[in-house]
Amino acid sequence: MSSTLTHAASASWIAVTSAQVCPHETSYIVAALISASILDVDHLVFMIRDRAMYRRLGYQGNLHHARSVFHEMIGLLLAGGVSGVLFLFDRKLAHVVFVAFAVHVIQDWVLGKSHPLNPVDLTAVQFFALTFRQKVVIDLLMLLMFGALWTLYLVGGQ
Amino acid sequence: MDVIPGRRSVASPYRALLSLFEDRLFLPDLNPSYYHLLGLALSVLYLYARAPGLKIALIVVVLLADWFDGATARRYHRVRRAGYITDVVTDRASEAFLFAAEAGTVLGQIFFLLWMVNALLTFYSVYSNKHTSLPLRFVYIVGLIARGWGIGN
């Protein structure tokens, strides 16, 4: 599971560059940043609701419980539906919103533990059994890499 | 009990054909998730592909990765319900990127809608314990090749 900052940096960069958004088209960039990070609001909701459990068990290794169905396939489907509606008005916006959201969901699937078919099937899925330290290193490397890519994108477009 | 949704009889000939090749494949004893990761990474890369040849090549490699992950799991006795779910959600995620990239074309728009149907079928598969899905990427690649040859233009 990546940090919100890493999601914002990586998913939005992929969304913006794949949609061929120019650096001066700030509305699309803002939309990408919001779509790439808004999903993490649901962690907060669960962490506040289940704070007694987290105080007892700790956050490390238990954050996969702090996610709603929006972090799973249902979320991907809903993002597809919302983008489908946006597509009727602004194709580029639809692309940016869907890709940013989808990349976030998939990063969490790949790097953490999830229940992708929640609520129909609650089987826990883990692509790789990564340690907390490995996740932190991957997170930092991604943040550095996409930070550099954002800089190149913004400087190159001026 | 680790129940894995069974394949429908309509997929039997295709499965039989695949297993003919599968037995002769060199498959290292890897975590099948490496193939999932490769498939997902290439599907994201597809968002940037413009040349038809590159698009076809990317889908072919994604499909091969999809085959190899299942083949590796079968060869090394790692077939589990969690693995099945990983496989199907990876497939749906891969399709999502491929068809989102093509949403500028009518064919892409139709396939994006079909992807949503396929995602719902994934839920139905685990609910009914009977694997049900549309082979969208296979059909799409046929469409891409046909378009490349000028068929249907």
Side-chain angles (χ1 to χ4, degrees):
Chain A
M1 203 178 281
S2 301
S3 68
T4 306
L5 194 60
T6 307
H7 282 309
S10 54
S12 61
W13 184 86
I14 292 168
V16 159
T17 53
S18 64
Q20 297 181 311
V21 170
C22 297
H24 66 266
E25 294 178 299
T26 44
S27 56
Y28 292 119
I29 296 175
V30 171
L33 286 166
I34 292 171
S35 306
S37 48
I38 197 163
L39 197 49
D40 278 348
V41 170
D42 78 349
H43 290 316
L44 276 179
V45 172
F46 280 83
M47 281 155 72
I48 292 167
R49 195 195 69 180
D50 303 329
R51 59 188 178 281
M53 182 192 86
Y54 284 109
R55 220 174 287 140
R56 201 173 64 247
L57 301 175
Y59 293 103
Q60 203 173 307
N62 292 311
L63 271 180
H64 63 287
H65 298 298
R67 47 196 284 152
S68 68
V69 290
F70 297 112
H71 250 96
E72 316 294 359
M73 181 88 96
I74 291 267
L76 213 53
L77 259 171
L78 285 175
V82 169
S83 303
V85 175
L86 286 175
F87 190 82
L88 301 172
F89 306 99
D90 189 335
R91 289 180 173 204
K92 206 183 255 191
L93 182 65
H95 178 101
V96 159
V97 167
F98 181 74
V99 171
F101 193 94
V103 171
H104 180 141
V105 171
I106 282 141
Q107 281 174 335
D108 278 353
W109 283 352
V110 172
L111 294 173
K113 210 183 267 184
S114 60
H115 308 97
L117 300 180
N118 183 9
V120 176
D121 187 292
L122 294 177
T123 305
V125 159
Q126 195 173 16
F127 279 60
F128 302 102
L130 298 171
T131 63
F132 180 70
R133 188 186 290 252
Q134 285 170 326
K135 284 181 191 174
V136 170
V137 170
I138 291 170
D139 203 57
L140 284 174
L141 286 175
M142 278 175 61
L143 193 57
L144 280 173
M145 188 177 89
F146 282 99
L149 288 170
W150 263 113
T151 309
L152 284 174
Y153 167 77
L154 292 171
V155 170
Q158 281 170 354
Chain B
M1 183 72 182
D2 214 20
V3 181
I4 295 129
R7 300 269 166 184
R8 292 190 180 273
S9 54
V10 70
S12 303
Y14 159 73
R15 280 279 139 196
L17 185 69
L18 272 189
S19 64
L20 275 179
F21 296 101
E22 205 171 291
D23 296 340
R24 294 172 195 160
L25 273 179
F26 167 72
L27 289 168
D29 187 5
L30 276 177
N31 176 353
S33 287
Y34 284 107
Y35 294 113
H36 294 138
L37 185 62
L38 175 69
L40 285 172
L42 293 177
S43 303
V44 172
L45 200 62
Y46 188 91
L47 293 167
Y48 298 93
R50 298 287 175 260
L54 179 61
K55 288 180 179 184
I56 291 168
L58 283 172
I59 300 180
V60 167
V61 181
V62 166
L63 289 172
L64 283 174
D66 185 26
W67 178 26
F68 290 169
D69 68 54
T72 304
R74 283 186 287 276
R75 168 98 41 108
Y76 297 103
H77 312 292
R78 292 212 198 104
V79 179
R80 305 274 184 278
R81 189 173 177 86
Y84 168 80
I85 291 175
T86 311
D87 187 30
V88 289
V89 298
T90 304
D91 292 350
R92 294 302 83 80
S94 161
E95 288 165 0
F97 288 120
L98 299 183
F99 304 135
E102 299 288 359
T105 65
V106 176
L107 191 66
Q109 288 157 21
I110 292 167
F111 272 80
F112 192 80
L113 290 174
L114 288 172
W115 163 73
M116 296 180 88
V117 174
N118 228 8
L120 291 172
L121 286 176
T122 303
F123 286 106
Y124 177 70
S125 296
V126 292
Y127 175 75
S128 63
N129 275 321
K130 203 82 181 158
H131 179 75
T132 312
S133 76
L134 305 169
L136 293 182
R137 291 172 298 181
F138 282 103
V139 179
Y140 192 76
I141 201 169
V142 172
L144 272 185
I145 293 168
R147 202 161 62 184
W149 282 343
I151 302 167
N153 281 346

